[in-house]
Amino acid sequence: MTPVSFLGLVLCRRLAVEHQDILRKVKDFRIQSAICNLEADREVVEGNVAAFIQCLGLASQDDSAEHALEIFNSLVRERVPGALQHSLGRLGLRYQTVASMSCVFLLRPFDTINAYLHGERQFRSIVGEVVGSWTLGLATIPLAVAGVLYIAANRPAQRLGCNAFTALLLSKHTVLMILVFGSWYVCNVSIERARKRTTWIALCAGIVVVLTVATAYVYLHPSLQRVQRPSIGGLSERLQDGGGGQAAGRDAAQEADGHAAEPRVESA
C-alpha cells in the first residue's frame, strides 16, 4: 500500500503546484497586467470594467478609470480566494471528490447481505461489514488523501531524487500511512471481536468516532491562512447591500445616459 500511495504523493505534488500557482495569481491579481488576446481591445475591456464598478456604486462618476480598476482588483483579491477554497477545497480536493473516488468500498456489505438472506451469515456480520467498509470509504481513505495532499504541498517545486528532502518526504508519508491504516486495521480487529463479545463495541465505536471527527476537521475546518481583506471602504458591505447597490447602479446608469437620477423616497 505504501509504494502505491507514494506514487500518488508524486502525482499530488503536481496538483499542489497548480493549486498554489492559482492562489498566487489571485493574490497578486491586477487586471492591468492580465493578458489580452487582442491588445487593441484592452482599453475597451478596462473601460467596461470601470463602468461596471461605477454602476455598482463602488466608485463615483468623478473617480478616474484607474481608481475604478484598482477597486476591481481589490474585489477580486478579496472574494475569489474564498470562492476557490469552496470549489477546490482547502487542500486542493474537496471531501465530496475524494469520497466519490472511494465509494466502491461502500458496496462491499452487499455481499454479506446476500449471504445473510441465504442464511449463511448472521445479522451481526452485516453491521460489522457496514461499519468497517463505510469507515474505510468515508473516513480512512479521505483522511489518508488529505494527509498526502498536505505533505505534497511542502515545497512542491522541489525536484525529487536521491537527496535529504526526498528521504524526509518519504518518511513523513510512511508514518502517515502507518497511522491512518493502522487505526483502520485496529478498527477491523475490534469489529471482529465485537461480533463475539460486546465489550469490544465501545473500542470499535471510539475508533470510528475518532476517524470521523479527524476527517471532518481536516476537510471542514477553515484555512489557517485567512484571506486578508483590504480596507477599501467597506467593499463587502456595499456589495451585500442589495437595495442600496441597485439604487446606486440605477443612478449611475442614468447619469451615464445624461439623465438626472430620480429621487428616492425612503420608507419608514
Side-chain angles (χ1 to χ4, degrees):
M1 179 63 71
T2 300
V4 176
S5 59
F6 185 73
L7 177 61
L9 174 64
V10 175
L11 298 177
C12 286
R13 286 177 61 81
R14 295 186 178 182
L15 177 64
V17 170
E18 296 179 359
H19 188 229
Q20 293 185 5
D21 185 57
I22 292 174
L23 295 179
R24 183 176 61 254
K25 289 181 178 179
V26 172
K27 181 180 179 181
D28 302 330
F29 175 82
R30 291 187 76 252
I31 189 174
Q32 296 91 333
S33 303
I35 298 176
C36 190
N37 291 331
L38 188 59
E39 193 62 29
D41 293 340
R42 180 179 296 276
E43 183 177 356
V44 177
V45 174
E46 292 182 354
N48 289 337
V49 172
F52 174 71
I53 293 297
Q54 292 172 347
C55 288
L56 284 178
L58 301 177
S60 66
Q61 296 295 321
D62 297 331
D63 293 334
S64 63
E66 188 67 22
H67 178 69
L69 292 179
E70 288 301 327
I71 293 179
F72 176 75
N73 293 335
S74 300
L75 176 62
V76 172
R77 290 192 289 263
E78 176 186 351
R79 290 300 185 90
V80 173
L84 286 175
Q85 180 173 323
H86 179 74
S87 175
L88 302 177
R90 185 164 61 97
L91 300 172
L93 287 176
R94 298 184 65 187
Y95 173 78
Q96 293 88 332
T97 303
V98 179
S100 63
M101 293 188 296
S102 59
C103 65
V104 62
F105 295 100
L106 306 183
L107 305 178
R108 290 175 55 184
F110 285 98
D111 292 335
T112 307
I113 294 176
N114 182 59
Y116 169 76
L117 294 177
H118 287 79
E120 299 175 2
R121 302 289 290 272
Q122 297 181 354
F123 181 75
R124 286 186 177 183
S125 300
I126 299 178
V127 177
E129 190 68 31
V130 169
V131 173
S133 300
W134 285 37
T135 302
L136 175 63
L138 299 180
T140 306
I141 292 181
L143 193 60
V145 172
V148 171
L149 290 173
Y150 179 79
I151 296 175
N154 181 21
R155 295 160 58 187
Q158 176 73 32
R159 299 190 63 178
L160 301 179
C162 297
N163 49 47
F165 176 76
T166 304
L168 179 61
L169 205 67
L170 180 59
S171 61
K172 290 181 179 180
H173 180 74
T174 303
V175 171
L176 172 68
M177 293 298 105
I178 293 176
L179 290 177
V180 174
F181 288 99
S183 61
W184 175 69
Y185 174 77
V186 174
C187 179
N188 279 346
V189 171
S190 62
I191 289 174
E192 291 295 332
R193 299 292 179 85
R195 293 175 181 176
K196 301 176 182 179
R197 301 180 61 181
T198 56
T199 55
W200 286 83
I201 295 179
L203 176 61
C204 175
I207 296 175
V208 172
V209 169
V210 169
L211 290 174
T212 303
V213 171
T215 304
Y217 177 83
V218 168
Y219 283 96
L220 300 181
H221 189 268
S223 176
L224 297 179
Q225 297 180 351
R226 295 184 179 274
V227 178
Q228 297 294 330
R229 295 181 177 272
S231 177
I232 54 177
L235 177 59
S236 299
E237 290 76 6
R238 297 175 69 179
L239 279 178
Q240 293 174 357
D241 186 8
Q246 293 176 359
R250 288 195 302 268
D251 292 348
Q254 290 174 351
E255 292 176 3
D257 293 337
H259 300 289
E262 296 179 0
R264 298 191 303 272
V265 178
E266 299 292 341
S267 59

